[in-house]
Amino acid sequence: MQPILKGTGLVKRYGKVTALDNCDFELMPGEILAVIGDNGAGKSTLIKAVSGAVVPDAGTVELEGKPVHFQSPIDARAAGIETVYQTLAMSPALSIADNMFMGREIRQQGLMGQLFRRLDKAEMQRIAREKLNDLGLMTIQNINQAVETLSGGQRQGVAVARAAAFGSKVIILDEPTAALGVKESRKVLELILDVRSRGIPIILISHNMPHVFELADRIHVHRLGKRLCVIDPKDYTMADAVAFMTGAKEPTAAEAA
Amino acid sequence: MPNSDNYEAAASGASTEVASFADDEGKGLVGRLHHTLHVNPALVPLIVLLAAILVFGLVLGSRFFSPFAMTLILQQVQIVGVLAAAQALIILTAGIDLSVGALAVLCSVIMGQFTFRYGIPPAIAVACGLAIGTAVGAVNGWLVSRIKLPPFIVTLGMWQIVLAANYLYSQNETIRSQDIEEQAAFLQFLGTKFEIGGAIFTLGVVLMIVLIFGLAYALRSTAWGRHVYAVGDDPEAAELAGVDRHRTLMSVYMLVGFICGLAGWVMIGRFGSVSPSATTGVIGNIQSITAVVIGGISLFGGRGSIMGAFFGALIVGVFELGLRMGGANPQWTYLLIGTLIIAAVTVDQWIRKVTA
């Protein structure tokens, strides 16, 4: 089977630091691929390299077998790759609806939309409300509330809802449950499974081993800027995975990527 | 799964109520006021403006509270009003533009000199002035967005460059009002006056009002407007969320250059003559920043409305005319304006507290 998103020989240096050291990466259609690794292993840089936020110094990225050269997250988004960043990428002073439709606003039909480029705020608010209700994370009473007035968990919910609503090929989630409580985390995990059931593959970056082992079809273990191995969560324990990513245990030749 | 991992089961008996937003009820008067101001930042300057008109109206009577005096204020603030609209756009992107006043003077000089030195038809000379204003704005925008220099530094330099270029090019020569009237009346087009029941308007005032309302619409109801706020609020977040930061900044700086060109044209209508040493070149930037700050637009970007900047300019105009009519020393105006600036920023800090 052909990978939907594939990175080959990715290199990214920041000055003297090599964040990505000839790294390979493969995401298969319809799967949830977890990426785990110690702090500073280069997980975030890897994700940024395939989502357009960072342009790699060397290596190629292929989407559905075709090489792509993302210069910005806008390019990747146009290609159907949605990312929820750890920082959430929200404009605090703008409303929930404004944030969800940032960069892909809906214009009104007819003369007002075409000539005066007037936004269809009612429609955007309706869709935003619907997407948030789908997520079940919160009952939004005021979709025009500024994002800065939401709690951390609510903000994360909005960011995840945004990616789930618009991602058509790949959805990348960088620590999607980090700021969430137990119940809210459960909702996000259900949402991730729901997105997969729609046939959209997901890259999940997380430090939460129970979540990773529960959801992931495969686990990409990242260490020292490259892929150490890819393991099947059914064949390994959480302790094995932690041993691999911290270097306490080296994978055998068969396991190594 | 081992039992120890099944910690989530413990939450199954919890209440199923999900996070919800509290209504405004129970916050008390101050809380509700805070929320209203958070949503409508132009409300504070509007209240101050109406209060100032009321107080001066009560003290000075019908002399101040007349259609003539009210529209005189509009005429007196038209240049600062147009420049404040430009300044507001830049400040919404978390920048500042010190070159607006100088650029307006340069544009007016170009409109005049192109007509009188080269014999270009006035309408084309006006278009040239607007184009050069836009070009200077584009240079500012490129330096801010691409070279990533701080807007303060870029426009501090541009202010001096433009002002010097203005003196060098014009050879410090003023074009007299009578000459313009006889040979190129179109340059004074925006000074055309018309009367509605004792109220005297000029086309420059009309232009200022149309410009303010047009920009207010664009900022509120178009994608471009949302992007201006997003870039001013948090540029990295806006970029990751899919906003073309460079294009947004370039469009803002070029539009501001164009508006400065319009301000130059308004100046010719207001003064009649074209003078390279008009005070706008030196204090226009500070006047416009004052109007914007009194208007409740946050200097940190991303917050405020352009109507606020308009009200800010009008507040200054009301104070100036009111105190002059009352026979007060003009220094009182500056003293009060200074107080207002500090008060406005204090209110802004309070509004920015996110507990609204």
Side-chain angles (χ1 to χ4, degrees):
Chain A
M1 197 163 46
Q2 188 193 27
I4 184 159
L5 187 63
K6 183 180 174 185
T8 317
L10 296 171
V11 176
K12 180 71 196 178
R13 290 188 194 88
Y14 296 105
K16 284 183 178 157
V17 179
T18 305
L20 282 182
D21 181 10
N22 207 15
C23 175
D24 294 335
F25 172 83
E26 272 167 14
L27 177 70
M28 293 299 175
E31 74 169 351
I32 296 177
L33 176 74
V35 176
I36 61 172
D38 244 351
N39 290 328
K43 300 184 302 282
S44 290
T45 309
L46 169 65
I47 293 320
K48 284 180 176 163
V50 296
S51 70
V54 154
V55 180
D57 299 329
T60 56
V61 178
E62 287 174 31
L63 182 65
E64 295 177 313
K66 291 186 226 27
V68 285
H69 302 281
F70 299 137
Q71 297 300 314
S72 72
I74 302 173
D75 295 348
R77 257 175 44 157
I81 301 175
E82 281 291 326
T83 309
V84 177
Y85 296 94
Q86 252 174 316
T87 56
L88 301 183
M90 300 264 202
S91 297
L94 295 182
S95 75
I96 297 167
D98 280 338
N99 267 291
M100 282 191 75
F101 283 89
M102 186 55 64
R104 55 186 143 221
E105 293 82 356
I106 300 175
R107 254 189 256 158
Q108 274 183 358
Q109 303 280 316
L111 190 71
M112 279 312 283
Q114 275 166 17
L115 192 62
F116 296 104
R117 308 174 83 80
R118 190 184 178 86
L119 294 175
D120 193 342
K121 291 203 170 176
E123 178 69 4
M124 291 196 290
Q125 286 163 12
R126 188 187 65 74
I127 296 174
R129 191 182 296 270
E130 196 181 293
K131 298 295 176 194
L132 288 171
N133 282 343
D134 285 354
L135 187 56
L137 260 172
M138 54 189 93
T139 47
I140 294 286
Q141 277 162 12
N142 187 358
I143 202 85
N144 292 318
Q145 188 152 7
V147 162
E148 67 193 352
T149 64
L150 301 177
S151 73
Q154 288 172 325
R155 283 184 212 192
Q156 197 140 30
V158 174
V160 172
R162 175 167 73 177
F166 296 103
S168 60
K169 295 243 172 71
V170 176
I171 293 177
I172 301 170
L173 302 168
D174 194 353
E175 295 284 2
T177 56
L180 299 184
V182 173
K183 275 190 296 169
E184 286 80 8
S185 296
R186 180 49 45 198
K187 290 285 184 190
V188 170
L189 301 187
E190 281 168 14
L191 175 86
I192 293 172
L193 291 171
D194 179 57
V195 171
R196 180 180 61 177
S197 71
R198 287 192 270 144
I200 300 172
I202 293 159
I203 302 169
L204 173 68
I205 300 144
S206 182
H207 278 121
N208 187 320
M209 286 298 149
H211 289 169
V212 166
F213 270 73
E214 182 186 342
L215 293 180
D217 298 305
R218 296 189 307 142
I219 299 172
H220 169 130
V221 182
H222 209 73
R223 181 165 159 72
L224 300 176
K226 59 177 104 180
R227 181 169 65 178
L228 181 72
C229 58
V230 177
I231 59 175
D232 187 324
K234 289 190 280 295
D235 301 338
Y236 290 84
T237 65
M238 292 185 207
D240 291 333
V242 172
F244 283 140
M245 74 184 219
T246 53
K249 188 172 155 187
E250 291 296 324
T252 61
E255 293 162 337
Chain B
M1 204 185 254
N3 234 1
S4 62
D5 283 341
N6 207 8
Y7 59 90
E8 283 167 3
S12 63
S15 112
T16 51
E17 210 172 291
V18 285
S20 58
F21 300 109
D23 276 340
D24 288 346
E25 288 166 34
K27 279 204 214 170
L29 199 60
V30 177
R32 240 174 299 168
L33 177 70
H34 190 187
H35 180 74
T36 311
L37 295 180
H38 197 121
V39 179
N40 301 302
L43 223 49
V44 179
L46 180 62
I47 293 166
V48 173
L49 175 63
L50 293 177
I53 292 175
L54 197 71
V55 169
F56 281 117
L58 288 175
V59 174
L60 299 167
S62 60
R63 205 151 53 95
F64 180 83
F65 216 56
S66 67
F68 175 79
M70 290 292 121
T71 47
L72 183 61
I73 292 170
L74 283 173
Q75 286 177 47
Q76 285 173 344
V77 302
Q78 58 185 324
I79 297 163
V80 174
V82 171
L83 289 179
Q87 189 69 256
L89 283 172
I90 299 277
I91 289 183
L92 280 177
T93 69
I96 196 148
D97 195 336
L98 298 175
S99 65
V100 286
L103 187 52
V105 174
L106 177 69
C107 290
S108 74
V109 161
I110 284 168
M111 290 171 190
Q113 293 292 347
F114 273 31
T115 306
F116 283 87
R117 202 182 293 181
Y118 310 126
I120 295 173
I124 296 174
V126 167
C128 290
L130 295 175
I132 288 170
T134 311
V136 173
V139 173
N140 277 340
W142 188 78
L143 289 170
V144 168
S145 171
R146 272 283 180 259
I147 311 298
K148 311 234 189 269
L149 299 178
F152 183 91
I153 302 299
V154 169
T155 56
L156 180 66
M158 193 56 81
W159 174 23
Q160 306 300 333
I161 294 168
V162 166
L163 207 56
N166 156 58
Y167 285 123
L168 290 171
Y169 174 66
S170 65
Q171 290 152 4
N172 214 354
E173 164 195 334
T174 299
I175 304 171
R176 292 188 310 157
S177 184
Q178 301 97 298
D179 294 342
I180 297 177
E181 221 173 302
E182 284 162 18
Q183 297 166 46
F186 183 73
L187 291 179
Q188 295 174 339
F189 177 69
L190 291 178
T192 312
K193 285 193 170 126
F194 61 95
E195 196 185 319
I196 304 173
I200 296 166
F201 294 93
T202 67
L203 288 182
V205 168
V206 174
L207 177 120
M208 168 178 73
I209 291 169
V210 169
L211 179 73
I212 297 274
F213 278 90
L215 286 174
Y217 167 81
L219 285 169
R220 198 180 51 239
S221 299
T222 72
W224 175 80
R226 300 286 88 190
H227 294 177
V228 170
Y229 278 93
V231 166
D233 207 357
D234 185 340
E236 281 80 35
E239 213 160 12
L240 288 176
V243 174
D244 192 334
R245 180 179 158 279
H246 176 67
R247 240 179 75 181
T248 307
L249 280 179
M250 282 304 286
S251 69
V252 166
Y253 277 87
M254 287 172 73
L255 179 60
V256 162
F258 179 81
I259 296 173
C260 290
L262 285 179
W265 195 17
V266 172
M267 284 173 68
I268 305 178
R270 171 92 186 122
F271 302 135
S273 60
V274 172
S275 165
S277 48
T279 51
T280 305
V282 183
I283 58 168
N285 50 8
I286 297 301
Q287 287 174 319
S288 65
I289 294 169
T290 301
V292 168
V293 171
I294 293 177
I297 297 180
S298 168
L299 284 174
F300 302 105
R303 274 159 232 263
S305 99
I306 201 142
M307 295 307 287
F310 180 48
F311 298 145
L314 286 177
I315 290 170
V316 176
V318 166
F319 274 45
E320 278 177 352
L321 187 71
L323 289 170
R324 197 181 331 142
M325 277 184 167
N329 186 318
Q331 293 307 329
W332 282 106
T333 311
Y334 299 113
L335 193 143
L336 279 170
I337 300 294
T339 313
L340 264 183
I341 291 174
I342 294 171
V345 175
T346 312
V347 172
D348 175 53
Q349 298 282 19
W350 181 60
I351 292 174
R352 277 162 54 87
K353 280 201 271 171
V354 292
T355 49

